[in-house]
Each structure stands twice: as C-alpha cells, then as structure tokens.
Amino acid sequence: MSYRIETYPTRLIDVWTLADGRRVTLRPVLPQDAELEQALVRSLSPASRYQRFFAPIRELPADWLQRMTQVDYHRHQALIVESFSGEQAIAVAEARFVVDESGQQGEFAVVVADDWQRLGLARRLLESLMRSAAEEGLQRLVGDVLATNTAMLALVRGLGFRVLPHPDGGAQIVRVQRDLQALRGALLDPAPGRAAPAARVDALPAAAVAALRAAAVTSTPTAME
C-alpha cells in the first residue's frame, strides 16, 4: 500500500549529542516506520507504556500504527529519534502533536525508551514540537499527563507550561498548556548560541540516509522542505 507524502519537512532533521556522549538522529516519521514504532512501544516498561497511553497495552493495534506513521506534517506532526548500530536503526524516542478542529491548538505526546531517559531527550523533543507548532501558527500546545508522573510535570513546568485541572474532571490526569503566541518570535528566531542549525542530510548516519532515500520510492513524496 502506498501513502503519498506531499511535502517531507527535511528542515526538521537533526543530529543530537546526548549527555552521555551518544549521538542520535531526529527526523520526521515516515510511513515505513511502523516496525520501529511498534518495537519502541514493546520495549517500554509497563509503567512507561501506561504513562504514554493511559492503558495497560503491550503493543499498538494496526490501525493505531497506521495513524501514527501516515501523517501530513501540518495537522499531525510526528518526530522520531533513532540510534544506529551499523545499519540497524533503533527508535529510542518519539513525539507528536495533533491539531484540533479549531486549528489553533495542538495536543502533544512524548515518550522515551526507559534506557534512554534522563539524557535530555524529552526536553529536546518537546522544544522541537513547540517550534514546529509555532511555525504552523498554533496558539498553544496542550497535553494530558498522569498526576503521578512527577518527572514529566517538572519538565513541562520548566518549559513554561501551566498545569491545570483536566477539563473532564477527576484527579488522576491533569492538563498542561503552553501558550505559544507570546513567544512566537523567540521560537522562530532564537538567540545566537541557543539552537544548532539542522543537520545536512549528508551529515547523517549512512543508514539514516538510506532510509530517507527509500522514502522517495515507498512513500512517493512530491517535494522536500
């Protein structure tokens, strides 16, 4: 089955060096990433899966995988972080937002593999989502977080999110919200030294370049940004 990508946002590709010295590749999700996404979910501890999906799942249903990998990069933005061992890619984190019917607000989610936590990945992913949402003209990002997920709540507070009661009521889940309008200029034009330029495609690991080239065949993109 072919899925047509109108514009693949290569500007979002980057290479990050983590706190422990390991290098990973950030890129937008592609339709052929279903296996990577499923492997990431299966690798999570039960607690991490519950914090991400609010349900005791072990893997993603096929229709979920399809929705999570066939995105338009505007109303649904999804980013994946890969580590490479030779030619073998392993997904170690992913993040996304989906724009609501108003077109003004995106709901985000972030997950990091247990062995890759506490290295700054969640923060950098959320900052990337904030930038992408601002570029799309969204007014705010919102997300649902378990009230017991103290690490995530500390992270979002540090990035300027407000922690609010959930609109559906109840105390188990809270709503976090970050207004983007006031910071739009800063997000799109960061101060010198605050953000590294996006990596050139020729600077990526060979396996990552191969995957992107394969996308031109399997996903038939008509343009690159």
Side-chain angles (χ1 to χ4, degrees):
M1 181 176 179
S2 177
Y3 175 76
R4 188 176 184 84
I5 299 175
E6 295 297 334
T7 304
Y8 185 73
T10 56
R11 70 187 187 281
L12 297 177
I13 299 170
D14 206 349
V15 177
W16 293 343
T17 300
L18 304 182
D20 64 356
R22 286 182 288 184
R23 298 177 78 223
V24 294
T25 301
L26 170 76
R27 63 171 174 82
V29 163
L30 288 164
Q32 60 263 43
D33 288 331
E35 285 189 23
L36 282 176
E37 291 274 2
Q38 188 71 283
L40 172 60
V41 171
R42 288 171 177 160
S43 76
L44 297 173
S45 66
S48 291
R49 283 197 296 266
Y50 194 84
Q51 287 174 343
R52 168 61 179 87
F53 298 103
F54 301 162
I57 65 171
R58 293 186 177 182
E59 62 179 25
L60 297 175
D63 58 333
W64 285 28
L65 277 175
Q66 184 177 50
R67 289 196 301 270
M68 291 176 71
T69 54
Q70 297 185 7
V71 303
D72 65 5
Y73 309 111
H74 296 289
R75 295 193 66 83
H76 186 174
Q77 180 61 272
L79 303 172
I80 194 167
V81 179
E82 295 173 312
S83 174
F84 290 89
S85 177
E87 297 296 310
Q88 182 65 41
I90 301 171
V92 300
E94 72 108 51
R96 65 188 61 239
F97 68 75
V98 178
V99 181
D100 70 3
E101 294 182 357
S102 73
Q104 302 299 311
Q105 175 173 286
E107 183 170 350
F108 78 89
V110 179
V111 67
V112 178
D114 291 74
D115 291 344
W116 292 77
Q117 294 176 9
R118 294 173 292 280
L119 295 172
L121 275 173
R123 172 179 289 274
R124 296 183 79 162
L125 277 167
L126 194 44
E127 288 173 340
S128 295
L129 288 185
M130 290 165 62
R131 172 182 287 273
S132 183
E135 288 176 344
E136 291 298 327
L138 300 185
Q139 293 186 1
R140 69 191 67 86
L141 273 182
V142 302
D144 292 345
V145 181
L146 289 174
T148 55
N149 191 349
T150 55
M152 187 63 178
L153 292 175
L155 170 61
V156 296
R157 284 190 174 102
L159 290 173
F161 283 76
R162 293 185 293 153
V163 178
L164 307 168
H166 197 274
D168 292 339
Q172 291 186 328
I173 299 174
V174 296
R175 173 64 54 89
V176 299
Q177 177 177 306
R178 177 65 152 85
D179 294 330
L180 299 175
Q181 287 297 99
L183 293 177
R184 182 176 173 81
L187 286 169
L188 300 184
D189 186 22
R194 292 297 300 277
R200 303 186 314 276
V201 173
D202 60 10
L204 298 176
V209 175
L212 291 174
R213 287 173 177 166
V217 176
T218 60
S219 306
T220 60
T222 61
M224 296 284 191
E225 285 185 345

